[in-house]
């Protein structure tokens, strides 16, 4: 073994993989860090990169870039074309790099003989894991998955964090299809198991629910105890029938039947719940600061675990009162003084800090990056070693400024070699810091809940009214990857971010797309492209509607205009003569063809003159030739669609023959990607599908909801029979009724046609009609007969009430609903 008992040397890892090191034999570092994403480098010398291959990507193509950055250790399944290009690199060649990652971390797990809690189930895994950490971390040094790293890749990376200092490990495991849990069991090797519950997630990948339960139960085949709720009868029956669990002791809880912990009563009041139970004939109770059923179930699971671990109920009761919510996402919002603010103000540990800084570094809209960081609590490590590691992390992640808050971090100020300031408390920071010192930067607010960093967030965020559009960046990534999975290898992807990214946001969406390696962006007008360039977007950007006065700007910001007529081409020629004569600068253009939609575009008769003029101007280069499909989503027009595709093919050949070089061709939109895969050519354009809206019904189940438009109840009123409501007295109360006034109106993008009972909103999972005329800034809804109070959340559209349904109410399309949402509606971007 290596001299560091927690980790393996490179040569030892090769031996675990039953192979040898290829390339530089002298390079044999002890490996501390495993890297699967080339964008998230934290160290070089003691890091091992795994070139993972998926349906959508291949890690091998990032090896040259990593080598240039100093990386020297790689696990690969395909040798480089010329290994001599990497004279200092060491390669471990295996058949399957993911299997190698899992095998290496399974061997790492065997180095430790400590209790390991393994958690699975459809819901609650992350909350139970994080709450167990809250309950026990004052007494034990604990290692756990960061955030929800519970996948085939996330679990190995989590288990790799185990060190000799740890006394307890808590790992969650998630699966999406059969034959996955065996692999995670071998890596986690849990000694205590928790099965939280069973739901409908990933049902489509299993024959039936019993198969899904059986797959999840494979995590527990070697545990010393399995904890579950006996009220989930399908789980209970499957456990009792399982041969592999026959000798496993069970530790159960139930509200209905006999169990180790029998729940007798649950009393809820405004802000807390008291749970009473019988355990070993003794009556016990706990109190938690939550009232929702999901939190109560998660808390009982934690209660049972602590009882099994022989903690006294007095101890448990005391700790349960201190449970606090788990922030499951990072939020990005507009801040004061042209800043962007990332809110992660509910947790503080070094693993989640690294994830949050990676998200910070995705943001390219500002050059300066600031981290506001509290003391890291309950780490179980000496402060000097802990904050040395954090200082190293901030330096390697190119953070420009640190604002440290707390006694511990302040005492280690000398460790941080960057712009810095320190405060003993949040109140001291709020009192003494000059907020004018925040300007044109991205700020990560990251702190333990006890520091109440929500106060800092309130000060830093740009003021806006209570109606917000939440944008789920994870859903954007999921939808992008879904469409990528439908593409042929090598097919490029252009993402449409015009019209403020279909109302979803500008640079925030573009940053995410750039980080995930789309090939092109497309905007409608030059000023949209300029905004992206100023926000640090370096991807090629096509401008679809170049105006005469915008060509100077297009050239200045290296945008690429769509050329759709000889008139527009003449404008480009004039600008080149005026500003670029004698220079070597080449302008990339995209030629738009009219293949039948009869909007913008060249016709066949124009092509000879066009190609001749392009050939005669060495400063113009055609990047792509494209067209728009008129009805790709509608099968009754498939013959016409094929006609358009064939016309693009022939017209493009004419252009290529005239120019003497090949160009990128593209005609498919979101619906076309699904319905006409044979016409992918060299590139496709992804628009509305990226934002979670299927143009073809069969694909909707594959997409995730991206945007949720929500507001709150401002006021509740009782309206007597025969009174009228709203402008023009359009709504008459036919009987006594209760109404809620909500702060969203047509100036926010809520269409007036939705008034007077035509539209509806969702309050506390109940649909209520919009009544009266919709006003400029607000509207009224009928809440008679439902449980609602002022400040309750109101969903205009979202996952439970898709924007497509809202559009159908007024006979329009989702595009119109999304693109008319006013910019005064604050966008909140979040990533889990």
């Amino acid at each position: 073994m290596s001299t560091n008992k927690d980790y393996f040397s490179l040569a030892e890892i090769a031996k675990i993989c039953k192979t040898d090191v290829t390339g530089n034999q002298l390079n044999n570092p002890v490996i501390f860090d495993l890297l699967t994403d080339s964008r998230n480098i934290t160290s070089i010398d003691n890091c091992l990169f795994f070139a993972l291959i998926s349906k959508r990507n291949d890690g091998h193509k990032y090896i040259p870039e990593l080598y240039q950055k100093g990386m020297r250790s790689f696990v690969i399944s395909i040798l480089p074309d010329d290994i001599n290009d990497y004279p200092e690199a060491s390669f471990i060649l295996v058949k399957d790099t993911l299997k190698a990652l899992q095998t290496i971390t399974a061997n790492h797990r065997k180095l430790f003989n400590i209790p390991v809690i393994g958690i699975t189930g459809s819901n609650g895994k992350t909350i139970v894991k994080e709450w167990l950490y809250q309950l026990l971390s004052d007494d034990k040094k604990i290692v756990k998955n960061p955030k929800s790293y519970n996948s085939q890749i996330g679990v190995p990376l989590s288990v790799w964090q185990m060190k000799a200092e740890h006394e307890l490990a808590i790992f969650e495991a998630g699966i999406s299809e059969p034959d996955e849990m065996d692999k995670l069991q071998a890596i986690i090797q849990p000694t205590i198991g928790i099965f939280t519950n069973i739901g409908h997630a990933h049902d489509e990948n299993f024959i039936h629910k019993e198969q899904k339960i059986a797959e999840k139960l494979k995590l527990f085949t070697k545990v010393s105890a399995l904890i579950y709720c006996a009220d989930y009868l399908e789980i209970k029956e499957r456990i009792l029938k399982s041969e592999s669990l026959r000798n496993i002791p069970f530790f159960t809880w139930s509200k209905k039947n006999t169990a180790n912990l029998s729940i007798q009563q649950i009393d809820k009041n405004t802000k807390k719940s008291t749970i009473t139970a019988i355990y070993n004939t003794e009556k016990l109770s706990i109190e938690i600061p939550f009232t929702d059923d999901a939190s109560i179930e998660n808390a009982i699971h934690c209660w049972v675990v602590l009882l099994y671990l022989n903690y006294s109920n007095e101890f448990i009761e005391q700790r349960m009162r201190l449970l606090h919510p788990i922030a499951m996402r990072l939020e990005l919002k507009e801040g004061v003084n042209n800043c962007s603010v990332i809110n992660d103000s509910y947790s503080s540990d070094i693993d989640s800090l690294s994830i949050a800084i990676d998200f910070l570094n995705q943001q390219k809209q500002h050059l300066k990056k600031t981290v506001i960081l509290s003391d890291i609590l309950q780490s179980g490590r000496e402060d000097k070693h802990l904050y040395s590691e954090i200082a190293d992390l901030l330096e390697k992640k190119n953070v420009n400024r640190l604002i440290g808050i707390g006694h511990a971090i302040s005492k280690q100020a000398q460790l941080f070699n960057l712009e810095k300031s320190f405060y003993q408390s949040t109140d001291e920071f709020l009192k003494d810091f000059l907020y004018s010192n925040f300007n044109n930067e991205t700020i990560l607010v990251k702190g333990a809940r006890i520091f109440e960093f929500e106060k800092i967030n309130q000060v830093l965020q740009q003021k806006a009214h209570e109606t917000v559009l939440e944008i789920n960046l994870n859903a954007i990534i999921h939808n992008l990857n879904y469409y990528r999975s439908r593409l042929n290898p090598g097919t490029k992807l252009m993402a449409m971010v015009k019209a403020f990214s279909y109302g979803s946001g500008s640079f925030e969406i573009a940053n995410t797309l750039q980080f995930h390696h789309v090939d092109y962006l497309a905007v409608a007008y030059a000023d949209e492209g300029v905004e992206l360039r100023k926000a640090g977007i370096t991807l090629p950007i096509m401008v679809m509607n170049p105006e005469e006065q915008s060509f100077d700007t297009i050239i200045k910001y290296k945008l690429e205009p769509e050329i759709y007529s000889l008139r527009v081409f003449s404008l480009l020629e004039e600008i080149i003569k005026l500003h670029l004569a004698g220079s070597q600068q080449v302008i990339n253009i995209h030629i738009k063809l009219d293949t039948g939609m009869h909007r913008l575009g060249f016709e066949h008769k124009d092509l000879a003159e066009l190609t001749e003029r392009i050939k005669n101007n060495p400063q113009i280069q055609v990047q792509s030739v494209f067209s728009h499909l008129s009805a790709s989503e509608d099968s009754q027009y498939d013959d016409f669609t094929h006609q358009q595709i064939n016309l693009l093919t022939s017209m493009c050949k004419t252009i290529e023959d005239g120019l003497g070089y090949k160009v990128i061709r593209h005609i498919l939109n979101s619906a076309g990607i699904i319905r006409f895969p044979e016409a992918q050519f060299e590139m496709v354009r992804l628009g509305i599908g990226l934002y979670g809206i299927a143009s073809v019904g069969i694909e909707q189940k594959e997409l995730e909801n991206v945007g949720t438009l929500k507001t709150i109840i401002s006021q509740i009123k009782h309206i007597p029979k025969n009174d009228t409501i709203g402008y023009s007295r359009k709504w008459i109360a036919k009987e006594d009724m209760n109404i809620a006034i909500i702060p969203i109106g047509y100036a926010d993008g809520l269409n007036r046609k939705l008034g007077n009972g035509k539209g509806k909103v969702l309050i506390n999972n109940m649909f209520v009609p919009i009544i009266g005329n919709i006003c400029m800034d607000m509207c009224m809804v009928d809440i008679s007969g439902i449980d609602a109070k002022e400040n309750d959340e109101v969903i205009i559209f979202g996952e439970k009430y898709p924007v497509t349904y809202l559009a159908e109410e007024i006979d329009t399309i989702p595009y119109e609903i999304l693109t008319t949402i006013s910019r005064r509606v604050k966008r909140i971007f979040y990533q889990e």
Side-chain angles (χ1 to χ4, degrees):
M1 298 302 297
S2 66
T3 54
N4 187 311
K5 62 182 179 180
D6 293 353
Y7 295 101
F8 303 114
S9 70
L10 189 65
E12 290 169 337
I13 287 175
K15 188 175 181 180
I16 290 169
C17 296
K18 298 181 180 179
T19 186
D20 297 314
V21 174
T22 301
N24 183 3
Q25 304 288 326
L26 300 177
N27 177 40
N28 190 31
V30 174
I31 300 300
F32 298 146
D33 297 306
L34 305 182
L35 181 67
T36 60
D37 188 331
S38 63
R39 299 161 297 190
N40 296 335
I41 300 174
T42 54
S43 66
I44 293 292
D45 295 336
N46 301 96
C47 186
L48 179 61
F49 176 70
F50 289 78
L52 301 181
I53 298 176
S54 68
K55 294 178 182 177
R56 298 177 293 269
N57 212 346
D58 184 349
H60 293 83
K61 67 184 182 183
Y62 303 110
I63 290 174
E65 173 191 341
L66 288 168
Y67 187 80
Q68 286 292 322
K69 292 179 178 179
M71 186 76 67
R72 294 294 180 262
S73 303
F74 303 89
V75 176
I76 59 174
S77 57
I78 306 167
L79 277 172
D81 291 337
D82 191 348
I83 200 168
N84 294 323
D85 290 341
Y86 309 95
E88 298 178 12
S90 302
F91 297 100
I92 297 176
L93 181 63
V94 298
K95 289 183 179 179
D96 184 331
T97 50
L98 176 58
K99 185 177 180 180
L101 172 67
Q102 295 171 338
T103 301
I104 292 162
T105 50
N107 276 267
H108 178 74
R109 162 68 182 91
K110 292 175 183 177
L111 299 177
F112 307 96
N113 185 24
I114 60 173
V116 176
I117 299 174
I119 309 171
T120 196
S122 294
N123 300 296
K125 299 184 293 292
T126 302
I127 300 297
V128 170
K129 177 197 68 185
E130 295 293 338
W131 277 0
L132 286 173
Y133 181 81
Q134 288 180 25
L135 292 164
L136 295 172
S137 57
D138 279 348
D139 306 281
K140 292 183 179 294
K141 296 177 181 177
I142 300 174
V143 61
K144 61 183 177 66
N145 317 66
K147 298 288 184 179
S148 54
Y149 272 39
N150 60 23
S151 67
Q152 297 291 306
I153 299 172
V155 166
L157 296 178
S158 301
V159 169
W160 186 257
Q161 303 305 313
M162 294 180 75
K163 299 177 182 177
E165 66 195 41
H166 292 126
E167 301 168 292
L168 175 66
I170 310 173
F171 298 121
E172 58 174 294
I175 58 168
S176 58
E177 58 187 50
D179 302 321
E180 288 187 332
M181 192 59 88
D182 283 327
K183 300 166 188 173
L184 299 186
Q185 190 283 331
I187 300 165
I188 297 172
Q189 300 164 43
T191 59
I192 300 169
I194 305 173
F195 199 143
T196 58
N197 52 47
I198 193 68
H200 295 289
H202 307 297
D203 274 356
E204 67 276 10
N205 295 329
F206 294 89
I207 299 170
H208 41 58
K209 188 178 285 188
E210 289 75 16
Q211 184 195 24
K212 184 164 67 171
I213 294 171
E215 179 67 22
K216 289 179 180 291
L217 284 172
K218 291 178 182 178
L219 180 62
F220 308 125
T221 54
K222 297 181 181 179
V223 296
S224 301
L226 173 55
I227 293 166
Y228 68 96
C229 174
D231 296 339
Y232 288 101
L233 296 181
E234 293 161 311
I235 295 176
K236 180 180 178 181
E237 289 172 6
R238 189 70 201 183
I239 288 173
L240 295 177
K241 291 178 181 177
S242 173
E243 288 294 327
S244 60
L245 300 177
R246 181 176 296 278
N247 298 317
I248 303 294
F250 306 134
F251 203 92
T252 61
W253 67 271
S254 174
K255 298 177 185 177
K256 305 172 183 177
N257 304 303
T258 302
N260 297 88
L261 183 72
S262 296
I263 306 301
Q264 303 296 300
Q265 189 170 338
I266 299 174
D267 296 314
K268 303 178 183 179
N269 64 24
T270 308
K271 294 183 179 180
K272 62 184 180 181
S273 299
T274 301
I275 308 168
T276 305
I278 300 295
Y279 176 63
N280 287 342
T281 71
E282 184 182 355
K283 189 174 183 180
L284 306 177
S285 67
I286 58 170
E287 183 181 283
I288 60 171
F290 302 93
T291 58
D292 62 288
D293 292 339
S295 293
I296 290 169
E297 180 177 290
N298 293 333
I300 295 173
H301 275 119
C302 294
W303 190 7
V304 174
V305 172
L306 268 62
L307 289 171
Y308 173 77
L309 293 174
N310 293 318
Y311 284 91
S312 71
N313 202 66
E314 182 181 2
F315 170 92
I316 298 170
E317 189 177 13
Q318 179 185 2
R319 295 289 173 90
M320 285 284 184
R321 288 196 184 102
L322 303 177
L323 287 177
H324 54 75
I326 304 301
M328 300 294 287
R329 65 192 204 183
L330 297 158
E331 291 185 343
L332 174 66
K333 304 180 182 180
E334 292 183 31
V336 298
N337 304 330
N338 196 37
C339 292
S340 299
V341 179
I342 299 171
N343 176 18
D344 192 14
S345 60
Y346 294 95
S347 64
S348 184
D349 60 81
I350 194 163
D351 291 326
S352 64
L353 174 63
S354 180
I355 293 169
I357 294 176
D358 285 339
F359 185 64
L360 172 69
N361 280 328
Q362 287 183 37
Q363 313 311 315
K364 303 298 183 184
Q365 58 269 33
H366 306 297
L367 293 176
K368 187 171 184 179
K369 295 178 172 61
T370 294
V371 173
I372 302 176
L373 181 65
S374 76
D375 286 348
I376 303 288
L377 304 178
Q378 303 169 335
S379 72
R381 300 173 59 185
E382 291 184 12
D383 283 352
K384 184 175 181 180
H385 294 151
L386 173 65
Y387 291 106
S388 291
E389 186 175 344
I390 291 171
D392 188 48
L393 177 67
L394 297 180
E395 182 178 353
K396 288 174 178 174
K397 297 285 188 180
N398 299 311
V399 172
N400 305 104
R401 172 166 61 168
L402 170 68
I403 297 172
I405 297 178
H407 298 294
I409 194 170
S410 298
K411 287 179 181 178
Q412 306 300 326
Q414 74 283 355
L415 298 174
F416 298 93
N417 297 316
L418 72 171
E419 183 184 344
K420 59 192 175 184
S421 56
F422 295 88
Y423 300 86
Q424 296 299 308
S425 67
T426 301
D427 288 340
E428 182 184 331
F429 167 77
L430 292 170
K431 175 173 169 287
D432 294 343
F433 189 82
L434 293 174
Y435 294 100
S436 58
N437 288 338
F438 288 124
N439 213 303
N440 292 298
E441 57 194 288
T442 305
I443 307 163
L444 169 63
V445 182
K446 175 74 175 168
R449 187 175 180 84
I450 193 172
F451 284 87
E452 298 181 311
F453 272 15
E454 59 269 22
K455 295 178 181 177
I456 299 175
N457 273 300
Q458 289 170 4
V459 172
L460 294 183
Q461 288 170 22
Q462 191 177 73
K463 300 298 182 287
H465 72 89
E466 290 138 326
T467 299
V468 299
L469 178 62
E470 291 189 343
I471 306 298
N472 183 344
L473 296 178
N474 294 91
I476 290 269
I477 297 163
H478 169 88
N479 298 337
L480 171 65
N481 287 336
Y482 166 68
Y483 283 100
R484 271 182 168 159
S485 72
R486 304 299 294 261
L487 300 183
N488 300 323
T491 302
K492 296 181 184 295
L493 189 146
M494 175 183 283
M496 311 304 288
V497 292
K498 62 180 182 175
F500 200 48
S501 293
Y502 293 64
S504 297
S506 180
F507 60 79
E508 300 91 349
I509 301 296
N511 269 328
T512 299
L513 297 173
Q514 179 168 270
F515 187 75
H516 288 275
H517 301 298
V518 301
D519 301 286
Y520 254 95
L521 299 177
V523 297
Y525 296 100
D527 56 355
E528 295 176 315
V530 171
E531 185 178 354
L532 297 182
R533 285 283 183 254
K534 289 182 175 179
I537 300 301
T538 58
L539 286 172
I541 300 173
M542 180 174 78
V543 179
M544 304 187 75
N545 298 290
E547 300 168 306
E548 180 175 352
Q549 65 272 22
S550 70
F551 274 103
D552 285 347
T553 300
I554 286 172
I555 291 171
K556 178 180 178 181
Y557 287 94
K558 292 183 171 57
L559 306 176
E560 301 180 6
E562 168 189 313
I563 304 299
Y564 54 82
S565 71
L566 292 172
R567 179 189 67 84
V568 174
F569 187 77
S570 297
L571 293 173
L572 177 62
E573 288 178 316
E574 290 172 13
I575 290 294
I576 290 174
K577 286 179 184 177
L578 187 64
H579 294 294
L580 299 180
S583 78
Q584 300 298 311
Q585 185 174 343
V586 174
I587 306 302
N588 292 328
I589 67 170
H590 302 262
I591 296 176
K592 172 71 174 294
L593 303 179
D594 182 0
T595 58
M597 187 163 176
H598 299 322
R599 201 168 56 176
L600 298 177
F602 287 97
E603 297 177 3
H604 207 292
K605 62 182 175 61
D606 304 316
L607 298 185
E609 181 181 347
L610 174 65
T611 54
E612 186 64 26
R613 289 169 67 175
I614 294 172
K615 278 178 66 176
N616 291 334
N617 195 324
Q619 290 183 276
I620 297 177
Q621 175 78 18
V622 178
Q623 285 294 103
S624 81
V625 176
F626 72 103
S627 188
H628 271 84
L629 294 177
S630 300
S632 58
E633 73 285 353
D634 196 333
S635 60
Q636 69 174 314
Y637 298 117
D638 281 359
D639 287 344
F640 184 78
T641 298
H642 284 117
Q643 181 180 317
Q644 285 193 274
I645 292 168
N646 292 334
L647 188 54
L648 174 77
T649 303
S650 64
M651 291 176 74
C652 194
K653 185 177 187 307
T654 299
I655 292 172
E656 290 179 333
D657 289 345
L659 295 177
Y661 58 83
K662 295 290 186 182
V663 297
I664 296 170
R665 300 167 296 170
H666 50 107
I667 194 170
L668 296 187
N669 53 10
S670 298
I673 293 171
I674 303 302
R675 300 196 64 243
F676 301 94
E678 73 280 3
Q680 290 179 12
F681 296 118
E682 291 76 36
M683 186 157 71
V684 298
R685 298 189 304 274
L686 180 57
I688 196 71
L690 184 63
Y691 304 97
I693 297 166
S695 301
V696 181
I698 57 172
E699 64 177 310
Q700 189 62 63
K701 62 181 175 56
E702 304 290 348
L703 303 180
E704 292 186 358
N705 179 71
V706 170
T708 300
L709 182 61
K710 59 171 62 175
T711 186
I712 63 163
I713 295 176
S714 297
Q715 189 177 16
I716 291 176
K717 289 187 173 182
H718 179 73
I719 305 298
K721 182 180 180 180
N722 294 324
D723 269 19
T724 60
I725 297 166
Y727 281 123
S728 304
R729 306 191 71 188
K730 288 290 186 183
W731 188 270
I732 301 173
K734 295 180 180 178
E735 54 187 282
D736 288 358
M737 62 190 302
N738 294 322
I739 69 168
I741 297 88
I742 59 177
I744 182 171
Y746 59 79
D748 302 298
L750 189 66
N751 196 300
R752 288 188 80 245
K753 293 178 182 177
L754 290 164
N756 294 303
K758 185 76 171 175
K760 57 184 179 250
V761 300
L762 201 57
I763 299 177
N764 296 329
N765 291 315
M766 298 287 289
F767 284 109
V768 298
I770 301 172
I771 56 175
N773 283 333
I774 291 174
C775 310
M776 181 181 289
D777 308 306
M778 62 192 72
C779 65
M780 290 70 71
V781 297
D782 180 4
I783 59 169
S784 303
I786 76 162
D787 182 22
K789 59 184 183 298
E790 291 178 2
N791 213 45
D792 276 359
E793 183 177 81
V794 181
I795 302 297
I796 311 302
F797 64 74
E799 186 172 3
K800 294 182 179 179
Y801 183 40
V803 67
T804 48
Y805 293 0
L806 185 67
E808 287 170 3
E809 299 281 7
I810 53 174
D811 194 28
T812 188
I813 56 177
Y815 299 76
E816 182 179 354
I817 300 289
L818 293 173
T819 56
T820 54
I821 299 172
S822 167
R823 287 213 183 191
R824 81 175 187 179
V825 174
K826 181 167 67 173
R827 272 69 172 173
I828 297 175
F829 303 87
Y830 67 91
Q831 183 167 313
E832 295 178 353

